[in-house]
Structure formats: C-alpha cells, structure tokens
Amino acid sequence: MRLRPLALCVLLSSFSTPLLAQSPALPSPDRVRLDRLQLMQGFPPPAERQVTAANFLSQYPNVRWAFHHMRELLPSRNIARGAGPVSELPVGEDWRERIEALRFTGPDGNELSFIEYLTDSYADSTLVMKDGKVIYETYHQGQTAHLPHQLWSVTKSFTGLIASMLIEEGLIKADAQVTDYLPELEGSGWQGATVQQVLNMTADIDYSEIYGDERSDVLQYAVAAGMVPAPADYQGARELYSYLPTIGAAGEHGQGFIYRTVHTEVLGWLVRRASGQRLSDLISERIWQPLGAEQDAYMLLDRHGTGWAGAGMNATLRDLARFGEMMRNEGRFNGRQIVSSSVVRSILEGADREAFKASGRDFQPGYSYRNQWWISHNADGGYEALGVHGQMIHVNPTVGLVVVRLSSHPIASSGYTFPTTRPAMMALADLLR
Amino acid sequence: MRLRPLALCVLLSSFSTPLLAQSPALPSPDRVRLDRLQLMQGFPPPAERQVTAANFLSQYPNVRWAFHHMRELLPSRNIARGAGPVSELPVGEDWRERIEALRFTGPDGNELSFIEYLTDSYADSTLVMKDGKVIYETYHQGQTAHLPHQLWSVTKSFTGLIASMLIEEGLIKADAQVTDYLPELEGSGWQGATVQQVLNMTADIDYSEIYGDERSDVLQYAVAAGMVPAPADYQGARELYSYLPTIGAAGEHGQGFIYRTVHTEVLGWLVRRASGQRLSDLISERIWQPLGAEQDAYMLLDRHGTGWAGAGMNATLRDLARFGEMMRNEGRFNGRQIVSSSVVRSILEGADREAFKASGRDFQPGYSYRNQWWISHNADGGYEALGVHGQMIHVNPTVGLVVVRLSSHPIASSGYTFPTTRPAMMALADLLR
C-alpha cells in the first residue's frame, strides 16, 4: 500500500500512548488557511491545487477543502430534510469576545486562549449554544457554512442512536446474538457476540489498526469502503458486505473496550436488516426531518451503494447544533419528542468504566463508551460524539451547553486534539455556568 | 473496450438512418417495471440486482433504478435550491383520463393511445401543464417523485441558456473565437471556431460516434467523464480538461450541424472561464434559486471535479416543469423575470434549417438547433430540450403547453422515441388547443 502516514491516521482512532510521542511536524495553521490555499480554484485548477478521491487523504492540506466537498469525490446518498419548514435556531447574547478571549491551561501546563485552541486545532467552524440559544458561531479562515462537512466517527453516534431506538421499539434485541440477524457473520469474529457488545465495542475481533503495516486490516476497511483507492496489488474485498465476514475471531467477547470502526459497520448492517430500511432513510425520517434541518445531509457509500455506517455522514454545523440540542433536551426539539427520553437517558448511563481503561485512551479519564457515544461520567454529566480530524458534538447538560466543532486537523486521531479539547470544554462550562 | 451495444447507445444522439433499421429486441415494458425488478433491494441485494457504476449502463434494466440514483454511483456537486420558499406549481383540472385515452397515429401508421406511448417508451414520470397549471402528473410503475432524475442532454439546454445569459451581459462574445477564452484549445479541432458555432454545433471537429469501434472518440469521452470505467488497456485521457484539447480538426466550421456532446463540454469550460464560477453554481444562483425549486438538483462530475456540462444534470420532474414553465413565459416565473425575455426569444429564433438537414435527423423535419435547444419552427412555435433514453422538456407556446417526460428507455438515441413523441405532442396540443 502506498498510503502516506497522514492518510493512515484518518483510520486510526484508537492508538497506543507511544504513538502520541511521535508528534509529527505540523504545518502552521496560518499557512493552511483555506482562503489562502486556493484549492480547486481555476478551470482547471493547477495540478498542485487539484483535490481528488486519490489524494484527498494522502496529501495535506487537501482535506481543508475535501471535508466540505466529499460528495464531489465519492458516491453519496441523500439524507433528506423533507419539505417541512426549517426549525428556529434561536440567537442569544453574543459571547464571541468573551469566548475567544477565555484562557485555560492546556495539557502541557501552558496557558492558551480559546481562539488559539480553535486555530491550533485547525477548526473549520465552531458553534456554541447555551440554554438553547446560539451564543457563538464562526466559520474560520474562509471555511464554508452551507456545505455539509465530513463527520467521520460522529456518524457512529447517529448509527448508535438509531439502533437504540430500534431496540426500544423491540425490532432489535440488545442481548441477542449479532448472527441471529446476520447469519452471514457466522464463523466470523462476531460469532457469539451480542448486539450490546457491538454497540459498546466490547466484542473482540481479529482486526488491527497499525501504522505502516501493509497488511493491516484498517487499510482493507478503507479500500473496502472506497475511502482510498485500491493499490495495484490489492487482492482483498472491495466492498463492505463481502469484507466484514472475512474478519476473524480474537479473544473473549464482553471484556475490554477496543474502538474499532468495523463494529459500527456491522451495526449499520444489522439496523438495515432489522428495519428493512437504509440507514440514510432512517436518519432522514426519524431525525433529520423532525429536527427541521436547514440542509439535506448525506452518507458516503462504497462501490455497492452501502453507506459507511461508521464514518460516512456529512452535515452542516447548524444542523448538528440542532441535533446536539435535541440530545441535550433528552430527545425533544422543534416542538416535538423526536427520540424518546428513555433512549437518550439509557445512552447517558454509560457503560463499564473499567472495561474502558483497556483502550489506553488516557486522555478520556473516567469515560465509558455506550451505544456509540462517549460518556464522561463527570460531575456535569457531559458526553460527546467524536470523529477523527477534530469533529465533535459536546453536550454539558448541567450547564445547558452544546458545542459543535468541525475541523480538518492534519492528524486524524482524537488523541492529538482531545487532551486540549477536554480542558477547553471545562473552561467554557465554567465561563457559562 | 468491453462495453455492450446498449451501453454505447447512451452516448449516441446523432446516428444515421440505417442504424434505426437495426431495431434490437427490446424487453417488454411490463417485464421491466421498477416495482417488479427489486433492483438494489436487500442488504446486500442479490448479485443480479446489484447496480454499480460499472454495470448501470451496460446491463439493462439497471438504468430503471440508476437514473434516479446517479449520485449513489458517481461523484456529484449540489445545485442548491437555496433557503427561499418553494414556488407554487398550481394544479388545474384533472385531464388524466382524457390524456391517457387520447389516440393518435404513430410513425408506422398504427394508432395508439397516449398511455400506450408512455408505457412503450419506458417513461418513468410525466407531467403536463396547460396555461400554467398541472393537468397531468404521473410516476409510472413504481418510479420515484422526490429523487432527481438523470437528464443526459437536457443538461445541454441549461448550459446553453446560461451561456446565452452571459452573452447578453457582455461577458462572452458570440462572435469571438473559442480559443480567445480557452487558449488550451489552440491547435485542437476548435481552433478557428466561434462561440456561436459551438453553441449551434456547427463547429467541425474530428470526433466520431461510431458503434463497436474500440477507438471511437465517444468512448474516450465517456471514460474521460467517468461515465464508464476505463478498460484495462485504456491509454487515453481520464478527465475532461485533458481530453478536450486532444480532439483534432476536421472540415470547415460553420457549415452543417452535427450533434456532438463534446461541444457542450467546451461550452461549459468557456462559461466557467468567463464567469469565474462553476456551472452548478451559475445554475443554482441564476435559475434554481429564483425558480423556487422544490429540491436541490445536482451535476455529475469527472474524477477531477469537472461537471458534465453536456450530460450530467439531475433534477426532479416537478422542478423541470417549473423550468419549462419559465421558458414558456419568456423567462418569467415565481413572480420575477429570471431570464431576460430577449435571451429566450433569441434562442427561439432558431438557427439555419438547411444546416440542420446535414445531421440526418429526419425524425425532426424542419428543425434547427440553436444555443443547445431544439427549435421545431412549426406553426405553434414548439421547441424542446432532449436527452437520450427519453428525457424531454417540450414547450408549445401557442397552446400554453409544457410537457416533461423522464424515462429509462433501453435504447439511448432519441431516434427510437422521437418519431412517436412528435405526433404524440401534436395530438396532445390538439386535444388542449
């Protein structure tokens, strides 16, 4: 495989601490401002500004343009907002100056301001809501408001929420075996795993996410999804449904939490099989339309039309704010109960914090992972949907805070941004408390 | 090239009369009803119902699903409807029974009903407006209302309209040479051709559209656009901007009309260069948003993000009706003048009918082709935007008639459907006159 290290990073959300030490030399955020890069400008653009499906992940800073234009690179399916009116996103007091000037202590002990934090983490756009009102909304450095942004693993939290709804409705049983719904996975690594273990990523499978290993499973996943082109000598599966059953067994299910995107692809398959509907249609009908979203969202697809349930959703900042606000209000938004409060409350209970420690994600101390959401178990009851390269929906129910940040960080792993994000969110909560 | 004949048909809108004689055995329309085919149903669909970018054109009846799902197969760019209200599409008297029962004489002298005509031409959906009101709107055999449909060469009429608007505004000069704007085409077949000659397709170039010829230029076009996969031994250009300059010179410009899609690709390039905007943005800002379209439309792209100016637009039936109604009203719709009436009137003047005869399109007697529109020069002043596989916007200003028909005919060329379409439209006009 001829993928460069940065390209591989995108696939790596779990990692070991030693990897963090190899902090690569990053370009100055000012040098990769989108409004200076002129990516894809001109007819045709000069070769060095040409972004393609083949180079968007391997050549930074191409993602600064690509993350707002994924459907122009890859096949996609619409997540329709429907024909209803756009819901109001009320505007509150303008906290811009106070938020941007807010100072806090980063993980290395240095003090920095909130705007330095955003800039240094290559934020594309940021929105803060307090008690249901927008108090900060910024599109940084020429970034775009109206185009859906690639969400990476924030997608997982949508898939997990839909699965949770289907469980409550009795369409899926959390303690059933995955193979009860997907006999195609008999004999695979998911044999013997329950739906809940897949939801919480405690099912164990023989799936590695290792840098630079030409046979690494994570590269096969990326090729199967159509995320990266298949190398000339590639012999593996080229779409998700034939790839997933090839993943073998590992240890005992239900022990440690290990973050693996393919679990969510299995979950997406299970949701489709159980409901008879595509994930994109489920999200449209059950979430996007009732939310009164401003824009259609969309899902990226493999070459057989299967959505990337673990990584492929694209949506705008403001629509994600509506979604976050709906979660904060235990499923209520736009004058209606969109998700039952018991589904939201069940997710927020979290999972086994001891099992979580196995993941080595020391930058999320005390956390657990339940139904594809990151639960902090902190005093404020905070939780997140997170995606690589800096995508985040953060909710702090105690303070009434919803933060959405979309980003195009050169390094995929949340491990490079979250150690600063965590104290930043705490400082913001204290400012607004 | 391993493309099957039906796949090639899609690219062939010009053809010689002898080809028409080779009428292939077509599947019964009833056998290929979308609601029976179950294409792309199941997770995963069975192999024989799997539609992909590689098989949608080569394996009929896959287009019956694909033409409503092109963005799920290929990269695409949004044509935004904006945030404004949806414009009204007033409903008039219900003419369904009378329209479907309407009998007329087909080209072979046999009588048939209007509904037989629609069914036998594999119509997906049909809408008729009379004096600004919808009197017939049908989605046939399980076809879809809300998903944009592939328009093929109806796209050309949008590109031609945008070019005409820019000409009126002085941004492009109709009598300037194409190479004045696109020096990249110096030394190519377009050397010495004027903008107007490209608009009217009387520029002559060394570009053949021949069935079964493995080196045919039309196959290169399809590969360059990303419409069909490149065969293993393919050595040519793989995107439009590098392909177009390779097309060489032929006879004298400004003589006979010969229908060639690459002219419209040059026109799209010219429009982008002159305006500094993408075609999809121009259509959005100047047409789709002012129209008050119900749905976003979209444009299919090559692998470098260049829209298929000659073939890549997708839109819904109802939004095309709005567009047709705007044309019928000389540029006025939704309470505003969207295109100046002088631009519309100039297009409707048509071009040289003698030059048109050179095309061998005997099924359009008396026609000319001006600014990418088919002008009938008949007593009613009728005109059309036409696309392969049966796409059509038909306007009859005298009768106040707008007909939009979207279709997935097994044979691409309008020559297979238009000989019946022409008397069908005449009969419909007489019914409503």
Side-chain angles (χ1 to χ4, degrees):
Chain A
M1 305 276 286
R2 286 181 220 89
L3 301 169
R4 302 187 189 179
L6 285 179
L8 305 190
C9 292
V10 76
L11 309 162
L12 295 159
S13 295
S14 71
F15 55 87
S16 55
T17 308
L19 263 173
L20 276 175
Q22 314 174 342
S23 185
L26 299 181
S28 133
D30 200 52
R31 267 195 51 226
V32 293
R33 292 171 61 100
L34 184 62
D35 51 13
R36 286 200 187 144
L37 292 172
Q38 299 287 303
L39 292 168
M40 292 297 277
Q41 298 301 302
F43 307 105
E48 69 275 14
R49 293 176 188 165
Q50 175 69 54
V51 182
T52 69
N55 75 20
F56 83 100
L57 273 180
S58 58
Q59 293 176 21
Y60 201 82
N62 288 358
V63 294
R64 299 229 83 178
W65 180 88
F67 286 175
H68 276 115
H69 296 84
M70 293 298 288
R71 68 176 283 186
E72 302 178 29
L73 304 171
L74 297 168
S76 65
R77 183 177 296 121
N78 203 39
I79 297 175
R81 64 168 300 284
V86 174
S87 62
E88 197 194 349
L89 202 55
V91 176
E93 200 184 335
D94 183 358
W95 279 72
R96 170 181 297 270
E97 284 189 26
R98 281 166 289 181
I99 286 176
E100 294 195 344
L102 171 66
R103 298 192 72 79
F104 66 97
T105 303
D108 54 2
N110 286 343
E111 212 182 51
L112 73 167
S113 71
F114 202 84
I115 188 63
E116 284 167 346
Y117 151 66
L118 290 176
T119 305
D120 290 353
S121 60
Y122 306 83
D124 294 334
S125 53
T126 312
L127 194 150
V128 180
M129 294 186 81
K130 159 74 173 161
D131 296 333
K133 292 184 176 169
V134 178
I135 61 168
Y136 183 68
E137 179 180 355
T138 304
Y139 302 87
H140 306 280
Q141 308 179 332
Q143 290 285 352
T144 303
H146 65 285
L147 294 176
H149 192 285
Q150 164 69 349
L151 302 184
W152 294 113
S153 296
V154 169
T155 311
K156 291 182 173 70
S157 301
F158 281 86
T159 304
L161 182 62
I162 292 286
S164 305
M165 293 166 81
L166 299 186
I167 286 169
E168 189 181 63
E169 293 165 21
L171 218 58
I172 298 173
K173 293 200 187 311
D175 57 357
Q177 305 228 332
V178 168
T179 50
D180 292 348
Y181 301 95
L182 302 173
E184 292 93 335
L185 293 178
E186 280 168 17
S188 80
W190 284 280
Q191 175 92 46
T194 66
V195 172
Q196 190 61 54
Q197 286 164 344
V198 172
L199 272 162
N200 291 6
M201 296 208 191
T202 59
D204 202 6
I205 51 174
D206 180 19
Y207 174 85
S208 66
E209 300 193 347
I210 302 173
Y211 288 85
D213 181 342
E214 296 192 1
R215 293 151 302 175
S216 173
D217 305 306
V218 74
L219 297 183
Q220 276 208 54
Y221 166 67
V223 172
M227 206 178 279
V228 298
D233 57 349
Y234 180 79
Q235 299 291 327
R238 288 171 185 263
E239 33 79 32
L240 290 166
Y241 283 137
S242 64
Y243 169 58
L244 295 171
T246 69
I247 298 174
E252 197 180 340
H253 296 310
Q255 306 298 312
F257 161 79
I258 306 181
Y259 186 82
R260 288 157 163 156
T261 294
V262 288
H263 283 317
T264 320
E265 298 302 342
V266 164
L267 198 62
W269 192 355
L270 196 157
V271 160
R272 292 178 206 115
R273 181 66 57 80
S275 69
Q277 288 189 274
R278 293 176 203 283
L279 190 56
S280 44
D281 290 335
L282 288 164
I283 296 173
S284 168
E285 291 170 18
R286 289 166 172 264
I287 301 179
W288 225 239
Q289 296 188 41
L291 272 183
E294 283 180 30
Q295 300 277 341
D296 290 350
Y298 63 84
M299 190 72 83
L300 298 172
L301 309 177
D302 76 3
R303 68 173 61 203
H304 276 194
T306 305
W308 309 350
M313 189 163 159
N314 285 251
T316 66
L317 186 75
R318 290 173 62 83
D319 285 334
L320 291 167
R322 289 180 169 86
F323 177 70
E325 189 60 15
M326 183 273 283
M327 289 297 292
R328 184 183 76 83
N329 288 299
E330 293 194 342
R332 199 168 172 80
F333 188 78
N334 197 19
R336 68 182 98 174
Q337 194 73 33
I338 296 172
V339 179
S340 82
S341 58
S342 55
V343 162
V344 177
R345 279 200 300 264
S346 156
I347 292 171
L348 303 189
E349 281 171 13
D352 182 351
R353 296 162 73 182
E354 284 305 311
F356 188 86
K357 287 182 181 168
S359 70
R361 295 174 71 100
D362 298 339
F363 57 89
Q364 291 173 301
Y367 270 66
S368 72
Y369 189 77
R370 180 170 168 82
N371 291 20
Q372 314 275 305
W373 289 81
W374 304 96
I375 312 301
S376 78
H377 298 280
N378 69 12
D380 286 347
Y383 58 97
E384 284 105 21
L386 293 177
V388 285
H389 295 281
Q391 322 317 318
M392 179 179 71
I393 304 171
H394 168 87
V395 182
N396 181 325
T398 301
V399 178
L401 180 64
V402 172
V403 181
V404 184
R405 189 203 47 198
L406 301 172
S407 189
S408 46
H409 196 289
I411 304 296
S413 169
S414 300
Y416 284 89
T417 48
F418 204 81
T420 312
T421 296
R422 191 164 158 270
M425 292 304 115
M426 286 176 167
L428 189 61
D430 288 341
L431 177 70
L432 298 167
R433 198 178 293 273
Chain B
M1 305 273 287
R2 283 181 222 90
L3 302 168
R4 300 188 190 178
L6 284 180
L8 306 187
C9 292
V10 76
L11 309 161
L12 296 158
S13 295
S14 71
F15 55 88
S16 55
T17 308
L19 263 172
L20 276 175
Q22 313 173 342
S23 184
L26 299 181
S28 135
D30 200 53
R31 269 196 51 228
V32 292
R33 294 172 59 101
L34 184 62
D35 51 13
R36 287 199 187 145
L37 291 171
Q38 299 287 305
L39 292 167
M40 291 297 276
Q41 299 300 302
F43 307 106
E48 69 276 14
R49 293 177 186 164
Q50 175 70 54
V51 182
T52 68
N55 74 21
F56 82 100
L57 273 180
S58 58
Q59 293 175 22
Y60 201 82
N62 288 358
V63 294
R64 299 229 83 178
W65 181 89
F67 286 176
H68 277 114
H69 296 84
M70 294 297 289
R71 69 175 282 186
E72 302 178 30
L73 303 172
L74 297 168
S76 65
R77 182 178 297 122
N78 202 40
I79 297 175
R81 63 167 302 283
V86 174
S87 61
E88 196 192 350
L89 202 55
V91 177
E93 200 184 334
D94 183 358
W95 279 72
R96 171 182 297 270
E97 284 189 26
R98 281 166 288 180
I99 287 176
E100 295 195 341
L102 172 65
R103 299 192 72 78
F104 66 99
T105 304
D108 54 2
N110 286 344
E111 211 182 51
L112 71 167
S113 71
F114 203 83
I115 188 64
E116 285 167 345
Y117 151 67
L118 290 176
T119 305
D120 290 352
S121 60
Y122 306 84
D124 295 334
S125 53
T126 311
L127 192 149
V128 179
M129 294 186 81
K130 159 74 174 161
D131 296 334
K133 292 184 176 168
V134 178
I135 60 168
Y136 183 68
E137 179 181 355
T138 304
Y139 302 88
H140 307 280
Q141 307 178 333
Q143 290 286 350
T144 305
H146 65 283
L147 294 176
H149 192 285
Q150 163 70 349
L151 302 184
W152 294 113
S153 296
V154 169
T155 311
K156 292 182 173 68
S157 302
F158 281 87
T159 304
L161 183 61
I162 292 286
S164 306
M165 293 167 80
L166 300 186
I167 286 169
E168 189 182 63
E169 294 166 19
L171 218 57
I172 299 173
K173 292 199 187 314
D175 58 358
Q177 305 228 330
V178 167
T179 51
D180 292 346
Y181 300 95
L182 302 173
E184 293 92 335
L185 293 179
E186 281 169 17
S188 81
W190 283 280
Q191 176 92 46
T194 66
V195 171
Q196 189 61 54
Q197 286 164 344
V198 172
L199 272 162
N200 291 6
M201 296 208 191
T202 60
D204 203 6
I205 51 174
D206 181 18
Y207 173 86
S208 65
E209 299 193 346
I210 301 173
Y211 288 85
D213 181 343
E214 294 193 0
R215 292 151 302 176
S216 174
D217 305 306
V218 74
L219 297 182
Q220 276 208 53
Y221 166 68
V223 172
M227 207 176 280
V228 298
D233 57 350
Y234 179 78
Q235 299 290 328
R238 288 171 186 265
E239 34 79 30
L240 290 166
Y241 284 137
S242 64
Y243 169 58
L244 295 171
T246 69
I247 298 174
E252 196 180 340
H253 297 309
Q255 306 299 310
F257 160 79
I258 305 179
Y259 186 81
R260 287 156 164 156
T261 294
V262 288
H263 284 317
T264 320
E265 298 302 342
V266 164
L267 198 62
W269 192 354
L270 196 158
V271 159
R272 292 178 206 115
R273 181 65 58 79
S275 69
Q277 288 189 276
R278 292 175 205 283
L279 190 57
S280 45
D281 290 336
L282 288 165
I283 296 172
S284 168
E285 291 171 17
R286 288 166 171 265
I287 300 178
W288 225 239
Q289 295 188 42
L291 273 183
E294 283 180 29
Q295 298 278 341
D296 290 350
Y298 63 84
M299 190 72 83
L300 298 171
L301 309 177
D302 76 3
R303 67 172 59 201
H304 276 194
T306 305
W308 309 350
M313 189 163 160
N314 286 250
T316 66
L317 185 75
R318 290 174 61 82
D319 285 335
L320 292 168
R322 290 180 168 85
F323 177 70
E325 189 59 18
M326 183 271 284
M327 289 298 292
R328 185 183 76 83
N329 288 299
E330 293 194 341
R332 199 168 172 80
F333 188 77
N334 196 19
R336 67 183 98 174
Q337 194 74 34
I338 295 171
V339 179
S340 82
S341 58
S342 55
V343 162
V344 176
R345 279 200 299 264
S346 156
I347 291 171
L348 302 190
E349 282 172 13
D352 183 350
R353 296 163 73 182
E354 284 305 310
F356 188 86
K357 288 182 182 167
S359 70
R361 294 173 72 100
D362 299 339
F363 57 88
Q364 291 173 301
Y367 270 66
S368 72
Y369 189 77
R370 181 170 167 83
N371 290 21
Q372 315 276 306
W373 289 81
W374 304 96
I375 312 300
S376 78
H377 298 281
N378 69 11
D380 287 346
Y383 58 97
E384 284 105 22
L386 294 177
V388 286
H389 294 282
Q391 321 317 319
M392 179 180 70
I393 303 172
H394 168 87
V395 181
N396 181 325
T398 302
V399 179
L401 179 64
V402 172
V403 182
V404 185
R405 190 204 46 201
L406 301 171
S407 190
S408 47
H409 197 287
I411 304 297
S413 169
S414 301
Y416 285 89
T417 48
F418 204 81
T420 312
T421 295
R422 189 163 160 270
M425 292 304 115
M426 286 176 167
L428 189 60
D430 288 341
L431 178 69
L432 298 167
R433 197 177 294 273

